[in-house]
Amino acid sequence: MSITGEERSGVSLPPNWGWLDGIPDEWEPPEELLTPSNSIENNLAIKILSSELVGAEISEWTGRFVVEQSLVLAWLHQAKQGDAEMAMRLSGEALEQTRLVFEAWKPLETLLSPQSASPEGRKEVRQQAARLVDTLRRSVDALRAMRGATS
């Protein structure tokens, strides 16, 4: 749900800023992604890569995810400085990709914890790892598409 002009601290937006009302509320990153750096994408990557049990494919796609997030950020700062509406929309889309990756990571993180280790859980670990790789791939593709880049 978006906040409309009068609901923004009682201050109406100027007429040419009305497009802000169409932008949905953003995902609020959880506390665990706010450190150690200022980048939630980098912090998510650190969490994923810090797990000694993730495989090479997850590591590879996590790296690509960080690269694409960085490229989108740089592209937004350079190419679209004059278009605040586009920059805000694309920033929200990039944040959405981070949310999707985080939500795919959390079940795998739980399964990889020492308390969850069991022979029966190996199949579930493989399934969740495949889900994370698939989410990372789709997010990398979405981020590339934002810049108009191809694989």
Side-chain angles (χ1 to χ4, degrees):
M1 178 189 237
S2 65
I3 299 173
T4 57
E6 281 300 317
E7 295 168 335
R8 296 176 199 263
S9 303
V11 178
S12 292
L13 294 172
N16 60 340
W17 286 76
W19 55 267
L20 283 172
D21 290 334
I23 295 177
D25 292 340
E26 289 185 350
W27 171 62
E28 185 73 31
E31 188 79 24
E32 67 187 278
L33 293 183
L34 302 181
T35 58
S37 78
N38 290 330
S39 166
I40 61 170
E41 294 80 17
N42 290 347
N43 295 338
L44 176 56
I46 289 167
K47 289 183 73 55
I48 294 170
L49 297 172
S50 293
S51 174
E52 295 177 12
L53 300 175
V54 298
E57 191 173 27
I58 289 174
S59 296
E60 174 189 350
W61 283 100
T62 299
R64 290 179 185 207
F65 174 75
V66 170
V67 166
E68 288 302 325
Q69 283 282 2
S70 297
L71 291 172
V72 165
L73 182 62
W75 179 75
L76 282 172
H77 284 285
Q78 279 185 335
K80 301 300 175 191
Q81 275 184 330
D83 191 343
E85 180 178 358
M86 178 184 281
M88 287 189 72
R89 288 186 193 283
L90 291 177
S91 293
E93 289 178 31
L95 184 61
E96 175 67 6
Q97 296 308 313
T98 301
R99 181 190 66 79
L100 293 170
V101 171
F102 177 74
E103 290 177 355
W105 162 245
K106 288 306 287 183
L108 183 58
E109 179 185 44
T110 301
L111 289 170
L112 294 176
S113 70
Q115 301 87 336
S116 298
S118 73
E120 304 83 36
R122 287 184 184 161
K123 181 179 179 184
E124 191 174 357
V125 167
R126 284 192 300 275
Q127 290 171 338
Q128 289 298 331
R131 177 178 171 241
L132 177 58
V133 168
D134 182 57
T135 302
L136 284 162
R137 283 182 176 154
R138 284 186 278 117
S139 291
V140 164
D141 288 344
L143 292 164
R144 282 184 180 148
M146 283 181 217
R147 297 183 299 111
T150 58
S151 301

